[in-house]
Amino acid sequence: MRRSRPFPDWLPAVGLVLCLVQSALATALTNSSRLESILDKYRHQDEKWWKARSRGRRAISEGDKHLILEMHNKLRGQVYPPASNMEHMVWDYELERSAEHWAHTCRWEHGPSHMLTQIGQNLGAHWGRDRPPTYHVQAWYDEVRYYSYPYSQECNPHCPFRCSGPVCTHYTQLVWATSNRIGCAINICYNMNVWGMIWAKAVYLVCNYSPPGNWWGHAPYKYGSPCSACPASYAGGCRNNLCYKDGGMDWRPAPEIEETNYIEPDPEPVRDREPQSRAQAPNPSSNDNGERNQVTSTDQMSQQVECETKLRDRCKGTTCNRYECPPGCLERPGRVVGTDYYDMQSSVCGAALHAGVIDNDGGWLDVTRLGRKQYFTKSYKNGVQSFGKNRSANSFKVKSVPVKAVRCDTTVSLFCPFKKPVRHCPRLYCPRSCLHDGQARVFGTNYYSDKSSICKAAIHAGVIQNESGGYLDVMPVDKRQQYSGSHQNGVSSESIPNPTGGKAFKVFAVI
């Protein structure tokens, strides 16, 4: 009888977080026909179903696919002690498609549950600095430092599991000899909950394996001369210490590229992360209400800029406020003029690096314009050399973006009232399940009265979801002539025809 290895639920949540699915139950069957029947759920979905998934980028690029596959085979071929039955891995498009389905749920757990007896699964996530997917693959393999291979003489009747570190099961799945098919997917997940920590923008990697590994009481491979114990189906073929047979990368025919890899962005804003139910026929008389009922807003107050972007060029005709700098700007910070306050012709990200507001991982910053300064001094700070200037020019300063947690009933009038000159509001984090808070009221649509609950207004606007909560930006503005109520995302906002006082605000997504 085979048992699945228990999965540790206490792994640390850090910049790189990894976890591994337990691949089998006592009575699970590993024959390919049963796996085929499970994967049929995804294989026969039409193009519209796949485009309904909330995504606007490649599930995984051809380049990343090859890198992941090559890295797996390279690492499998160099295990020590050497393996006599290690099989060469090939890419499986059905495993890729099932991994893609799970990656787009953005749930930091293994799944879907009905497949966990039939596949192995490695998960990886990171935030901040860009990393290739092979970074995660190498990290999975690096658990070998904690793993002691159980030799055959120790396996009586079962092999001991020898792991001296927090976890070794990513490594053992990666080098499980009979796991010869792999399919992976990558997704960007916003406000992803990783063991209680909310990551504003997580890169989520899901790799599915078949047949599954990590059987309790079994060694991941057989010790011996490479390829000396290959299954008969390989007909004696051996390549780079792996049991190999001709056939190239694809064991299964590849579906159409536009269906499996690149997903065209939807022409209209995505209404929901999940496709709407097709069981209920639309009611023509209430079609407009149905369209307005579910809304997703991806409008951002934070502007994304390049490393060399000058504030002067970025601010023409726009409000200088909040910016997001990419990682790696220390190598190309652009021209920076000044110290503490900077010439408007300076690079936004370069000034933020010089001031110590961000580091080379990039990040968010707030900008405040200061008007004209008579001169600008040069200095070397935080790896950036700024220049001096002896004539007057418009200036700005940079500061970090504060983050505050608020309650479901917190209002803008109490937390961040509108004042002139316009002030910066902290980035806010709303808890989950604010939808049913009876004390929280919402007035308006798109523009909300400052007496409204910030979090409930954000749910109404589609900026956050009730089930997860999350980060958002708030911009206080002057009052509107009226506030029109509507029903969106389960929230019924109220109308104020002729407001006599107070101000207004807008909510923005953090992506």
Side-chain angles (χ1 to χ4, degrees):
M1 299 288 286
R2 291 177 171 179
R3 295 186 296 150
S4 63
R5 180 172 300 143
F7 176 68
D9 59 0
W10 43 266
L11 300 181
V14 292
L16 168 69
V17 187
L18 307 166
C19 70
L20 173 73
V21 76
Q22 302 321 294
S23 314
L25 296 175
T27 59
L29 301 177
T30 58
N31 59 76
S32 59
S33 61
R34 185 168 178 184
L35 179 61
E36 290 293 324
S37 66
I38 293 174
L39 292 175
D40 279 345
K41 173 181 178 182
Y42 310 105
R43 180 183 305 159
H44 301 302
Q45 298 292 351
D46 60 20
E47 184 177 2
K48 290 182 179 179
W49 187 90
W50 284 103
K51 286 190 176 182
R53 317 307 292 177
S54 176
R55 53 194 178 179
R57 52 169 294 154
R58 302 172 80 93
I60 187 169
S61 68
E62 287 293 326
D64 285 346
K65 185 187 329 182
H66 282 279
L67 286 173
I68 289 173
L69 184 62
E70 289 175 3
M71 176 71 88
H72 272 76
N73 282 322
K74 175 186 175 182
L75 296 174
R76 287 164 67 86
Q78 68 182 34
V79 293
Y80 184 84
S84 62
N85 67 331
M86 187 71 72
E87 299 182 38
H88 179 268
M89 273 191 170
V90 295
W91 194 265
D92 188 297
Y93 284 94
E94 302 308 330
L95 289 174
E96 175 192 333
R97 186 169 284 187
S98 64
E100 179 183 8
H101 167 77
W102 190 248
H104 282 275
T105 68
C106 291
R107 293 165 59 184
W108 185 242
E109 59 188 72
H110 295 288
S113 58
H114 69 277
M115 292 187 66
L116 296 187
T117 60
Q118 302 302 308
I119 61 169
Q121 189 177 74
N122 273 357
L123 307 180
H126 71 267
W127 53 269
R129 180 180 304 173
D130 287 339
R131 297 182 176 94
T134 49
Y135 180 92
H136 294 280
V137 178
Q138 185 65 55
W140 294 337
Y141 183 85
D142 287 346
E143 290 173 7
V144 66
R145 71 185 66 154
Y146 305 120
Y147 185 73
S148 300
Y149 179 85
Y151 289 93
S152 55
Q153 62 267 23
E154 301 173 301
C155 302
N156 186 22
H158 300 293
C159 295
F161 180 61
R162 294 190 168 181
C163 184
S164 59
V167 66
C168 299
T169 45
H170 310 101
Y171 165 75
T172 52
Q173 173 61 79
L174 193 155
V175 301
W176 202 267
T178 57
S179 295
N180 54 30
R181 284 179 282 159
I182 184 175
C184 304
I186 299 171
N187 187 34
I188 305 298
C189 294
Y190 304 113
N191 298 329
M192 185 176 177
N193 188 328
V194 182
W195 281 315
M197 297 177 63
I198 304 299
W199 291 2
K201 185 189 290 187
V203 180
Y204 191 23
L205 171 66
V206 178
C207 283
N208 287 346
Y209 302 83
S210 182
N214 284 344
W215 294 100
W216 184 262
H218 291 256
Y221 57 85
K222 295 179 182 178
Y223 163 66
S225 299
C227 301
S228 62
C230 291
S233 60
Y234 286 91
C238 185
R239 175 175 162 180
N240 298 328
N241 298 330
L242 303 175
C243 304
Y244 179 80
K245 58 185 173 185
D246 293 331
M249 176 178 154
D250 305 321
W251 205 339
R252 304 180 186 279
E256 295 296 323
I257 293 177
E258 60 268 21
E259 185 177 345
T260 58
N261 284 329
Y262 183 69
I263 308 300
E264 293 288 347
D266 292 330
E268 298 179 357
V270 178
R271 298 295 181 187
D272 198 359
R273 289 182 178 269
E274 295 294 328
Q276 295 185 9
S277 173
R278 299 181 182 180
Q280 183 177 358
N283 183 350
S285 64
S286 60
N287 185 58
D288 289 345
N289 290 335
E291 285 296 312
R292 291 196 299 267
N293 188 51
Q294 293 194 355
V295 175
T296 297
S297 172
T298 56
D299 290 341
Q300 298 182 74
M301 186 176 77
S302 179
Q303 302 180 54
Q304 294 180 332
V305 294
E306 301 298 327
C307 295
E308 300 88 351
T309 301
K310 297 178 181 178
L311 187 65
R312 180 194 64 180
D313 298 335
R314 192 68 179 186
C315 286
K316 288 182 178 179
T318 65
T319 301
C320 297
N321 198 346
R322 189 158 288 169
Y323 295 88
E324 180 183 4
C325 292
C329 288
L330 198 57
E331 288 75 31
R332 52 185 197 284
R335 182 179 175 85
V336 180
V337 179
T339 300
D340 296 332
Y341 54 88
Y342 302 92
D343 181 6
M344 288 286 288
Q345 299 189 51
S346 297
S347 155
V348 181
C349 300
L353 285 168
H354 183 266
V357 169
I358 64 171
D359 57 22
N360 202 39
D361 284 339
W364 288 280
L365 60 115
D366 280 341
V367 166
T368 302
R369 285 184 281 188
L370 300 176
R372 299 190 73 84
K373 296 291 183 181
Q374 295 303 310
Y375 62 90
F376 299 84
T377 59
K378 68 177 182 179
S379 64
Y380 181 82
K381 296 174 65 177
N382 301 310
V384 176
Q385 176 65 60
S386 70
F387 296 86
K389 187 175 180 179
N390 289 322
R391 62 178 182 271
S392 66
N394 289 323
S395 64
F396 69 95
K397 67 178 180 180
V398 292
K399 64 177 182 179
S400 59
V401 176
V403 179
K404 300 289 185 182
V406 294
R407 303 189 322 178
C408 292
D409 60 351
T410 301
T411 65
V412 170
S413 61
L414 296 175
F415 186 79
C416 186
F418 175 79
K419 294 180 180 179
K420 290 186 178 180
V422 177
R423 57 182 292 193
H424 294 291
C425 292
R427 175 155 290 165
L428 306 182
Y429 179 74
C430 289
R432 65 181 68 183
S433 301
C434 286
L435 182 62
H436 304 296
D437 189 319
Q439 302 299 316
R441 300 174 67 184
V442 180
F443 303 89
T445 300
N446 296 329
Y447 286 91
Y448 300 93
S449 163
D450 63 359
K451 296 180 176 60
S452 301
S453 155
I454 299 171
C455 298
K456 208 164 181 178
I459 297 171
H460 182 268
V463 167
I464 63 173
Q465 294 186 348
N466 177 62
E467 295 78 11
S468 58
Y471 292 99
L472 60 100
D473 282 328
V474 171
M475 179 183 289
V477 295
D478 213 339
K479 72 175 182 179
R480 306 290 98 176
Q481 293 183 354
Q482 65 176 10
Y483 300 94
S484 300
S486 62
H487 183 79
Q488 294 180 170
N489 302 322
V491 178
S492 292
S493 66
E494 303 174 51
S495 298
I496 305 179
N498 298 298
T500 56
K503 303 296 182 179
F505 69 96
K506 292 193 70 175
V507 286
F508 295 89
V510 174
I511 299 177

